[in-house]
């Protein structure tokens, strides 16, 4: 029998994959920001953002984005990107060690790649790019923003797919997992769901 106790954690980050969000700046360049609060249902993507971030500001003006997914080896670039904001000056609500960065690609030596359906650039060094258009931006109390977006195109590194199909091979995809602000990769597979496209 498990024994439980009532706690008051500061965050509820029980573990989600990390994404790096590309949005379009006023001058047409692309801003990048790591997030871990997102999920997908069919082609609907839901993102949780801080209201004072530059990503939320960009999406309100230009509702186009790319959800780039890093793999487990890329946590250090993700971590340093998380200490930068595209906003200038740095909003007062941001952590004290945050700095403004006009070119986030340059900040982590990544390179932009033109997207096929949106104006935001993809990140060449990241293995998965989901292009999307924001359809709804909802403000919640406490400076929280929920963005609904629909995927418009998906690009993945060749080696992640099963030959000549649109299936991702889960044995090759190694997402970066964020759990209580620690970075993890995946462990060993524990099973295969009945609905999985790939049954091996
Ligand atoms: C691993 C990781 C996960 C993060 N998850 C989120 C998130 O889900 N939502 C969010 O708004 N900020 C998240 N952040 C913080 C933003 O990346 C940070 O506030 C950044 O300055 C935002 O940049 P921007 O102001 O240019 O949008 C995360 C940071 C890291 C490193």
């Amino acid at each position: 029998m498990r024994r439980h106790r009532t706690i008051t954690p500061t965050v509820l980050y029980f573990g989600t994959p990390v994404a790096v969000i590309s949005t379009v700046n006023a001058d047409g360049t692309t801003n990048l920001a790591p997030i871990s609060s997102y999920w997908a249902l069919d082609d609907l993507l839901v993102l949780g953002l801080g209201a004072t971030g530059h990503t939320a500001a960009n999406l309100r003006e230009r509702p186009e984005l790319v959800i780039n997914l890093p793999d487990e080896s890329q946590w250090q670039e993700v971590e340093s990107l998380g200490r930068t904001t595209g906003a200038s000056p740095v909003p007062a609500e941001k952590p004290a060690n945050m700095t403004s960065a006009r070119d986030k690609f340059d900040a982590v030596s990544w390179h932009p790649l033109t997207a096929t359906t949106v104006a935001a650039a993809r990140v060449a060094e990241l293995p998965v790019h989901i292009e999307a258009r924001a359809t709804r931006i909802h403000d919640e109390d406490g400076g929280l923003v929920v963005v609904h977006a629909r995927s418009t195109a998906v690009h993945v590194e060749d080696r992640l797919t099963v030959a000549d199909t649109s299936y991702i091979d889960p044995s090759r995809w190694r997402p970066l997992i964020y759990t209580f602000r620690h970075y993890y990769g995946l462990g060993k597979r524990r099973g295969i769901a009945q609905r999985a496209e790939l049954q091996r």
Side-chain angles (χ1 to χ4, degrees), residues 42-61:
D42 292 341
D43 68 336
L44 168 69
L45 297 141
V46 180
L47 286 63
L49 298 175
T52 59
H54 197 56
T55 299
N58 276 349
L59 286 174
R60 288 185 206 279
E61 297 296 322

Side-chain angles (χ1 to χ4, degrees), residues 13 18 31-38 48-50 52-56 78-79 81-87 94-95 98 104 178 183:
Y13 302 158
V18 173
N31 186 58
L32 300 178
I35 70 164
S36 62
S37 303
Y38 87 97
L49 298 175
T52 59
H54 197 56
T55 299
V78 165
E79 175 64 11
L81 262 188
R83 284 186 237 119
T84 64
T85 176
K94 291 268 192 190
M98 183 78 65
K104 303 253 196 120
Y178 197 51
Y183 296 100

Side-chain angles (χ1 to χ4, degrees), residues 3 26 28 37 41 58 71 80 103-104 120-122 124-125 139 150 152 158 179 183 187:
R3 290 182 55 184
S37 303
L41 183 67
N58 276 349
D71 68 29
S80 50
D103 187 341
K104 303 253 196 120
R122 304 184 271 152
E125 283 75 8
D139 285 279
R150 303 305 280 241
T152 53
D158 261 354
T179 176
Y183 296 100

Side-chain angles (χ1 to χ4, degrees), residues 71-93:
D71 68 29
E72 62 189 6
S73 72
Q74 296 175 302
W75 72 270
Q76 281 159 315
E77 291 97 324
V78 165
E79 175 64 11
S80 50
L81 262 188
R83 284 186 237 119
T84 64
T85 176
S88 180
V90 177
E93 298 80 1

